[in-house]
Amino acid sequence: LATGPRQNNSIFYEIRTYDIKPSKMKEFLEMINKYLHFRTAHSELVGFWYTELGAMNKVFHIWKYDNFAHRTAVRHALANDKDWQGKFISAALPLIDKQHNEVAYLVPWCQLEKPPKEGGVYEWVTFQMKPGGPALWGEAFRAAINAHINTGYTRLVGVFHTEYGLLNRVHVLWWNESPDHRAAGRHRAHEDARVVAAVRDSVRFLESQQNALLIPLQCSPLK
């Protein structure tokens, strides 16, 4: 009755999405770059981005935790960090319209990778799959991802499967040298019979999908 491959360790990732007030976006990004070192003193940041296309005035950030006890300890420490609370939180909260978070695991067949160089762009693609979990759609989804990788036009950074939030949701993070490089690669993929066949098989289990083009902040480990 398993719904997919067993999680082989307790590491998970918290994916946070903030909607920033349109008139305050520049101010918020400046504050992040200035004060985020207070936050990263407590736990590991994977990446921090703002949206360029597909959504407006949003930021995405991903945090890595060893387990849930680790996250609890970090959140407690942050609540008592006078620099973080006084210099950032008190000033940043009025700039934020909404906050949303999810807990996700890397899928067992994926390692978190770094791009070959800095200066590119990231694409965040969210797939809402049919209920049933990876036992239902996992192999077909993996085949579709691998078909795109095999074209060579894009680089996979990570594939995350939600544990808290909307279930049966998969987030895929890609890297490309530029938006034009990504567009050219997509055109090639659409003409590749291997990609077309894999995608057709996978979309049988798909309910919806959306994407956004992300730009990394100066303070982001993934640039």
Side-chain angles (χ1 to χ4, degrees):
L1 297 178
T3 58
R6 181 187 178 98
Q7 174 72 14
N8 57 17
N9 58 48
S10 57
I11 293 172
F12 68 85
Y13 298 84
E14 183 175 4
I15 301 165
R16 287 186 164 240
T17 307
Y18 295 170
D19 290 312
I20 310 301
K21 294 178 180 178
S23 63
K24 301 297 184 180
M25 189 66 172
K26 182 175 183 293
E27 182 181 349
F28 182 84
L29 296 181
E30 289 174 348
M31 290 181 60
I32 286 290
N33 281 317
K34 183 176 181 180
Y35 294 121
L36 194 66
H37 64 281
F38 293 127
R39 175 62 183 84
T40 54
H42 294 278
S43 66
E44 181 180 346
L45 173 67
V46 174
F48 207 119
W49 304 265
Y50 67 88
T51 54
E52 178 71 11
L53 296 171
M56 298 291 287
N57 302 300
K58 283 183 180 287
V59 295
F60 286 78
H61 40 128
I62 303 175
W63 299 88
K64 181 180 179 180
Y65 293 101
D66 296 334
N67 49 47
F68 288 96
H70 179 212
R71 182 185 184 276
T72 297
V74 169
R75 300 304 298 176
H76 183 268
L78 287 169
N80 291 283
D81 186 323
K82 293 182 179 179
D83 284 329
W84 178 244
Q85 295 294 329
K87 294 181 180 179
F88 179 78
I89 293 296
S90 60
L93 285 180
L95 313 183
I96 301 172
D97 267 337
K98 296 179 183 178
Q99 293 177 297
H100 176 72
N101 74 336
E102 295 174 298
V103 166
Y105 294 110
L106 277 174
V107 296
W109 44 269
C110 169
Q111 298 293 321
L112 195 61
E113 302 288 349
K114 288 187 176 181
K117 61 182 180 180
E118 296 183 359
V121 295
Y122 292 78
E123 183 181 9
W124 182 257
V125 189
T126 298
F127 299 88
Q128 187 62 47
M129 308 301 290
K130 291 182 178 180
L136 176 66
W137 43 257
E139 288 304 314
F141 187 87
R142 180 181 182 179
I145 295 297
N146 285 336
H148 283 82
I149 294 171
N150 291 339
T151 65
Y153 85 85
T154 187
R155 286 290 289 264
L156 180 66
V157 178
V159 181
F160 304 87
H161 180 209
T162 56
E163 179 72 10
Y164 286 97
L166 280 176
L167 299 182
N168 297 288
R169 173 176 279 194
V170 185
H171 300 290
V172 183
L173 184 61
W174 301 96
W175 178 89
N176 282 283
E177 291 185 11
S178 69
D180 286 320
H181 183 265
R182 184 258 180 199
R186 291 287 290 174
H187 290 310
R188 292 200 304 273
H190 291 162
E191 298 171 351
D192 189 312
R194 298 165 299 173
V195 176
V196 173
V199 169
R200 281 178 177 169
D201 187 45
S202 179
V203 296
R204 295 181 294 125
F205 308 106
L206 181 66
E207 291 192 341
S208 66
Q209 69 183 86
Q210 59 183 355
N211 70 340
L213 189 73
L214 307 180
I215 307 298
L217 271 67
Q218 179 182 345
C219 61
S220 177
L222 287 177
K223 290 186 174 63

